[in-house]
Amino acid sequence: MGRGAISVGAVAVLVLTAGCKAVAVDTEGAPGGGDGGPGKATAGHPTRPPASQAPPASPTPHKPPASRTPPPVPPAPAKILMRMGDSSGQVRELQARLRQIAWLHVNPSGTYGAATTSAVKGFQAKRGLPRTGATDTVTWQRLLAMTREPTRHELYSGGGIPAAAPDRRCLTGRVLCIAKSSRTLTWMIDGRAVSTMDVRFGSQYTPTREGAFTVYWKSRHHVSTLYDTAMPYAMFFSGGQAVHYSSDFAATGYTGASHGCVNVRDEGKIASLFAQVRNGDRVVIYK
């Protein structure tokens, strides 16, 4: 080989003088760090990080599964509360409420019969409800919304109110114990109730007197000279006021009133009472 020649396959390193700094160059004329590998900056070529050091790609955002609207829940069927043949206090209230809005025209009895069934059917049909005649929860709620709570007298407009607690003056001796609150007469002997019957009283213009009295006259076939009206089984206790049978009370019930007397509508009961009561027996009339 000649002088200055470079052997085949060898890399000649020339030392050049660039000012006062020595720079090594390879055979390709590019400055390097000996092997020209990655991680060494070259002139005009910025260093690229290795693939293993590249910033992670942004993750794909998670999409929640599309919400599914649940199918509508069908309404529960209306529950039957009362029907034909039932007997209860609630049936009596149903009948009284139907009377308030003129769907029932008989007195409440507490028994769910044909008249009540017919009235309920009419009420249901008028309001677009199934016309069953039975009172279900929907029918009952509609009726409650249209009516008010019945009074005791409305519940027992046909009579039969349980007798009120006896006044203390009724607890000794022989007493006609008459309660205005329950519209009842109870025949009592030494605090024991012998019989009870429905009664009605005078109007606000001719009220029945309240207080303690005694029977002073009995008249089996009495006729009022003031009103020209029959007063069978009359037992007088205060002036012209008496306990007696009233055919009008028997026919029309509590839609009417007396002129101050205590009317009884059950002729059989007043006949039996008339036979037992004696002059001098007491009469107590209280609220």
Side-chain angles (χ1 to χ4, degrees):
M1 293 187 197
R3 191 178 182 179
I6 301 175
S7 60
V8 178
V11 178
V13 179
L14 302 178
V15 180
L16 304 178
T17 303
C20 62
K21 184 175 181 180
V23 180
V25 293
D26 58 18
T27 55
E28 299 296 326
D35 59 2
K40 304 295 183 178
T42 57
H45 299 281
T47 303
R48 292 183 179 178
S52 62
Q53 298 180 10
S58 300
T60 302
H62 175 71
K63 294 182 179 180
S67 60
R68 296 180 180 178
T69 302
V73 179
K79 179 182 177 182
I80 301 297
L81 301 177
M82 294 164 275
R83 53 161 58 99
M84 173 80 87
D86 288 348
S87 294
S88 67
Q90 190 178 26
V91 172
R92 186 179 290 276
E93 181 182 351
L94 166 71
Q95 293 167 332
R97 288 180 181 272
L98 288 170
R99 276 176 60 88
Q100 288 179 10
I101 53 177
W103 276 108
L104 187 66
H105 303 285
V106 298
N107 293 320
S109 63
T111 299
Y112 207 116
T116 302
T117 300
S118 177
V120 170
K121 282 184 178 180
F123 177 83
Q124 291 169 328
K126 181 74 173 180
R127 281 141 195 92
L129 302 175
R131 192 171 176 269
T132 64
T135 302
D136 55 33
T137 50
V138 176
T139 301
W140 182 240
Q141 290 302 319
R142 291 293 296 274
L143 182 60
L144 291 180
M146 296 179 61
T147 56
R148 54 174 171 74
E149 184 175 355
T151 65
R152 196 178 188 203
H153 288 168
E154 286 177 325
L155 291 171
Y156 293 91
S157 57
I161 299 179
D167 186 275
R168 59 182 178 79
R169 295 168 291 180
C170 299
L171 300 179
T172 57
R174 299 162 57 89
V175 188
L176 296 173
C177 193
I178 303 171
K180 285 187 172 181
S181 62
S182 60
R183 298 189 294 198
T184 55
L185 181 158
T186 302
W187 170 229
M188 301 188 70
I189 300 177
D190 295 330
R192 178 177 61 90
V194 178
S195 62
T196 300
M197 56 204 76
D198 297 333
V199 295
R200 73 177 183 182
F201 305 97
S203 68
Q204 60 177 326
Y205 305 106
T206 55
T208 301
R209 302 180 188 102
E210 297 174 15
F213 313 92
T214 58
V215 175
Y216 66 87
W217 181 35
K218 294 173 60 180
S219 178
R220 167 66 179 81
H221 301 288
H222 192 77
V223 176
S224 171
T225 57
L226 183 60
Y227 300 105
D228 193 26
T229 304
M231 297 171 55
Y233 307 103
M235 294 171 278
F236 288 89
F237 60 86
S238 177
Q241 295 189 356
V243 175
H244 66 86
Y245 171 71
S246 169
S247 58
D248 179 72
F249 184 24
T252 64
Y254 290 99
T255 57
S258 75
H259 291 96
C261 289
V262 178
N263 291 167
V264 178
R265 64 173 163 189
D266 189 318
E267 188 172 9
K269 286 187 175 182
I270 187 67
S272 176
L273 180 64
F274 185 86
Q276 297 176 61
V277 172
R278 301 190 294 253
N279 286 342
D281 287 344
R282 290 184 295 133
V283 177
V284 174
I285 304 176
Y286 61 102
K287 292 290 189 184

